[in-house]
Amino acid sequence: MIKAVACSVCFSIMLLLGYMIEHQEIRGRAAGFAVVALGHTVVGGIFVILLYGFFGSRIIVLESRLAFWKIYIISFGVLLILYFVSYLALYPGIYAFDAVPQTYAYLSHTITDNHPVLHTVILGAFMDGGAWQGSVNAGVSDYITFQYILNAACFSYMLSYIYTFTGRKWIYIVSVLYMGGFTPIVLQVMTTTKDGMFLPFFVLCMTLTIELNQMESKEAPVGKWILWSVSGVFMTIFRKNCILALPVLLICMYKNMPSQRKKVIVFSSLTVMFFMLYQMLFVPVFVSKKVDERELLSVFAQQMGRFYLDGETEITEEEKDMVEHLITREGLDSYQFRIADHAKGWMDMDYYHAHKKELWQTYFSLMMRNPGIAMMSFMELNSGLWYPGCELTLYPDGRKAYWIVQCFEPAEMQSRIPTLLAYYKLFESSEFATRNSFTAVLFAPATYFYLFLFFYMYSVNAEKKNFRPFFRFVLVYWGWYLFGPVALVRYVSFLFAIVPLYVLVIAQRKGDRA
């Protein structure tokens, strides 16, 4: 019951904070906030308790009817068909904004580590191949084909494991259709960003994490450990902030699998070692220069700009002068409340390095004197990740969007199924995907974070310890995006993709490891 109440409290606080931030009503409303939060908690707590009881009384019988490899082939074939249809609708694929400078960097031999180097090399190689064919679209098409085959291959492992674990055809069929047809997942698979390469390895690694913990008392095949390690390496390569959450996964695996600790140590060490080798041997071959650390200063830059611009800030003229020199007049004039790209992009890094100590002292002093403004600025950047009614800001100029469904020049979208493309185009509207009550529940990133928290608390309440590494790693990894420059759907597309794994939490009996 305590876990259910805690879950309800989290939902209530996030929903109310998000509403007040979205409507700029957070100041001077503490009493009303507390009353509404209490009411939400009571109603939500009762609902969560009832759901926990419902799941607990309906344990899915574990049974396996078909061999794993047969299910894998079926899953892979069906996903390829579904993705091929979407590929035709979005032909040659969504050539994203980030892909343009990545392609140019590869072709001009000026690659930086601003984006994952391996992704830039793969994308650039396909685009170079397209140039040889005399068509930019051919390069985009070849890359997207490679990417959706890779996603289908990794997703199929998860789907096959779900079937062999539950033995329920309807669960398997729904999961296949979900992974092959749910719009945010499809858009991610068909987009030329690093997230489309990260996602398959993330899903594979998380599936193997659960599977290895389920088999803890048995001797898991070495091949599964190797696959777990390899997927962990590529997951981290395509999203370097994974390295910040990876220790949580490795430590939890070690603590949770006492009879397999030697293997955990060996394959965890291999994961870290191969990532380090990639950084030391592969990256320097292609990188012509490293980017400065402004990418790590999103919250710092955003809040410094907010302290300067907010009329209620307690700030001295000397502190204002420092902010003007740091962010520059251009950055302050183009400041956007929900995206830090302008604030960090216009930072004078020479000034930052010359006055680093004084700037951070000023920053912390302003935070201590203006905690409400600091918190407001922080939550405005990331509320799209945890509040379903937030209009998502996707463009640097502040325009709203859920997903950009187009090809940036020189590529051109030439859909073979215009009707399906028209449906996908609806997701360019932030209002369609997040403001309408039905579509907000169905597509908002926050909905899937709530779903994640719900099953995390359920696993704790039901003492399902073998899910600890999975849930804790995902939670910590998601948490790092709170410090990012903006709330983008593609940042947290992994929350959409791991939904089928939740059925494993329900399928396992209390206290069992299966």
Side-chain angles (χ1 to χ4, degrees):
M1 181 176 177
I2 294 176
K3 312 301 188 304
V5 173
C7 189
S8 178
V9 169
C10 289
F11 293 165
S12 301
I13 292 175
M14 287 188 287
L15 284 169
L16 290 168
L17 270 177
Y19 177 86
M20 297 173 85
I21 289 169
E22 190 72 14
H23 295 83
Q24 296 294 305
E25 297 178 359
I26 198 166
R27 295 172 183 172
R29 301 291 297 274
F33 175 85
V35 171
V36 177
L38 180 61
H40 269 260
T41 300
V42 172
V43 175
I46 293 172
F47 181 68
V48 172
I49 289 170
L50 290 173
L51 277 178
Y52 281 3
F54 175 83
F55 289 147
S57 64
R58 283 163 172 76
I59 301 296
I60 301 173
V61 178
L62 306 179
E63 54 185 66
S64 181
R65 297 179 180 177
L66 286 177
F68 182 93
W69 67 270
K70 291 181 180 179
I71 295 298
Y72 182 88
I73 292 173
I74 294 170
S75 304
F76 186 57
V78 173
L79 287 181
L80 284 183
I81 293 170
L82 293 173
Y83 288 151
F84 181 69
V85 173
S86 298
Y87 160 77
L88 292 177
L90 295 164
Y91 182 84
I94 301 173
Y95 189 58
F97 176 80
D98 286 352
V100 179
Q102 282 182 272
T103 301
Y104 175 78
Y106 177 85
L107 297 177
S108 61
H109 306 290
T110 56
I111 296 175
T112 70
D113 59 355
N114 187 38
H115 295 282
V117 176
L118 180 59
H119 179 251
T120 300
V121 170
I122 294 172
L123 175 63
F126 275 110
M127 296 304 295
D128 196 19
W132 277 97
Q133 299 175 57
S135 169
V136 173
N137 274 13
V140 177
S141 173
D142 292 345
Y143 172 84
I144 290 296
T145 300
F146 169 76
Q147 182 168 278
Y148 81 66
I149 291 173
L150 177 64
N151 275 266
C154 292
F155 293 167
S156 294
Y157 188 96
M158 176 184 70
L159 295 168
S160 304
Y161 180 63
I162 288 172
Y163 180 79
T164 55
F165 187 87
T166 65
R168 294 296 187 226
K169 288 182 180 179
W170 70 269
I171 292 176
Y172 168 73
I173 292 171
V174 171
S175 298
V176 170
L177 294 177
Y178 173 82
M179 294 303 294
F182 190 59
T183 308
I185 297 175
V186 171
L187 293 177
Q188 184 65 85
V189 171
M190 297 295 156
T191 301
T192 58
T193 58
K194 55 197 169 192
D195 309 275
M197 296 291 284
F198 160 80
L199 187 62
F201 292 110
F202 181 89
V203 169
L204 180 58
C205 186
M206 292 302 99
T207 303
L208 285 160
T209 296
I210 294 173
E211 184 179 9
L212 290 171
N213 276 269
Q214 297 278 18
M215 300 174 68
E216 193 271 336
S217 59
K218 305 174 185 178
E219 188 70 18
V222 174
K224 291 187 182 295
W225 283 101
I226 294 174
L227 197 56
W228 176 75
S229 180
V230 170
S231 60
V233 171
F234 281 103
M235 173 181 74
T236 309
I237 285 173
F238 289 115
R239 265 296 181 187
K240 285 194 294 186
N241 52 350
C242 259
I243 202 70
L244 301 171
L246 199 59
V248 174
L249 177 62
L250 304 184
I251 291 170
C252 287
M253 290 285 282
Y254 179 83
K255 291 181 65 177
N256 215 52
M257 304 179 70
S259 67
Q260 300 291 325
R261 283 179 177 171
K262 288 184 180 180
K263 285 187 176 179
V264 172
I265 293 172
V266 169
F267 287 99
S268 296
S269 300
L270 287 174
T271 302
V272 175
M273 182 186 72
F274 280 113
F275 177 73
M276 291 177 65
L277 287 174
Y278 161 81
Q279 289 290 107
M280 292 187 295
L281 301 180
F282 181 86
V283 172
V285 172
F286 294 95
V287 171
S288 59
K289 65 175 181 177
K290 290 185 175 292
V291 296
D292 55 46
E293 67 266 39
R294 74 179 68 229
E295 291 300 320
L296 303 175
L297 300 173
S298 295
V299 174
F300 169 78
Q302 186 75 353
Q303 292 188 343
M304 289 292 269
R306 183 60 179 269
F307 290 137
Y308 181 94
L309 295 169
D310 197 297
E312 298 184 22
T313 304
E314 183 185 331
I315 184 172
T316 66
E317 289 302 317
E318 183 182 359
E319 290 169 335
K320 279 191 172 183
D321 186 61
M322 291 186 74
V323 176
E324 284 184 359
H325 279 88
L326 174 68
I327 300 180
T328 72
R329 191 70 255 170
E330 292 88 346
L332 292 168
D333 289 342
S334 58
Y335 184 91
Q336 296 288 336
F337 289 98
R338 291 193 180 276
I339 184 168
D341 285 351
H342 285 287
K344 72 175 183 181
W346 283 102
M347 279 180 65
D348 184 335
M349 296 307 293
D350 292 333
Y351 181 82
Y352 172 78
H353 288 299
H355 302 85
K356 192 172 184 177
K357 183 177 179 181
E358 299 95 312
L359 283 167
W360 279 100
Q361 287 176 341
T362 300
Y363 172 68
F364 286 118
S365 175
L366 288 168
M367 278 186 63
M368 295 297 292
R369 297 185 339 248
N370 305 277
I373 294 173
M375 184 57 68
M376 184 76 164
S377 176
F378 177 71
M379 291 190 295
E380 281 175 339
L381 274 183
N382 56 50
S383 60
L385 303 179
W386 47 266
Y387 177 60
C390 178
E391 270 199 283
L392 300 168
T393 303
L394 188 52
Y395 295 93
D397 61 5
R399 283 181 293 157
K400 312 295 182 183
Y402 183 89
W403 205 284
I404 298 177
V405 186
Q406 60 178 278
C407 282
F408 282 87
E409 293 183 348
E412 181 184 0
M413 190 162 283
Q414 300 173 333
S415 175
R416 273 46 172 178
I417 311 178
T419 303
L420 185 55
L421 176 62
Y423 164 73
Y424 288 138
K425 280 284 188 180
L426 292 174
F427 287 81
E428 288 192 312
S429 165
S430 177
E431 187 167 347
F432 167 78
T434 59
R435 298 301 291 273
N436 177 283
S437 58
F438 173 72
T439 51
V441 171
L442 194 57
F443 299 117
T447 300
Y448 294 83
F449 178 60
Y450 294 172
L451 194 63
F452 167 80
L453 280 183
F454 174 84
F455 280 102
Y456 184 14
M457 289 298 164
Y458 174 77
S459 72
V460 173
N461 185 67
E463 300 176 8
K464 299 182 175 184
K465 299 179 180 179
N466 48 337
F467 289 95
R468 284 177 181 174
F470 162 68
F471 279 114
R472 290 178 180 177
F473 171 76
V474 174
L475 181 62
V476 173
Y477 178 65
W478 176 89
W480 281 111
Y481 283 105
L482 297 177
F483 301 92
V486 65
L488 296 182
V489 179
R490 67 180 177 89
Y491 287 174
V492 292
S493 58
F494 61 90
L495 289 178
F496 297 95
I498 61 175
V499 167
L501 290 174
Y502 299 151
V503 74
L504 302 177
V505 184
I506 306 170
Q508 187 195 25
R509 289 182 172 85
K510 182 176 179 179
D512 289 347
R513 279 190 177 270

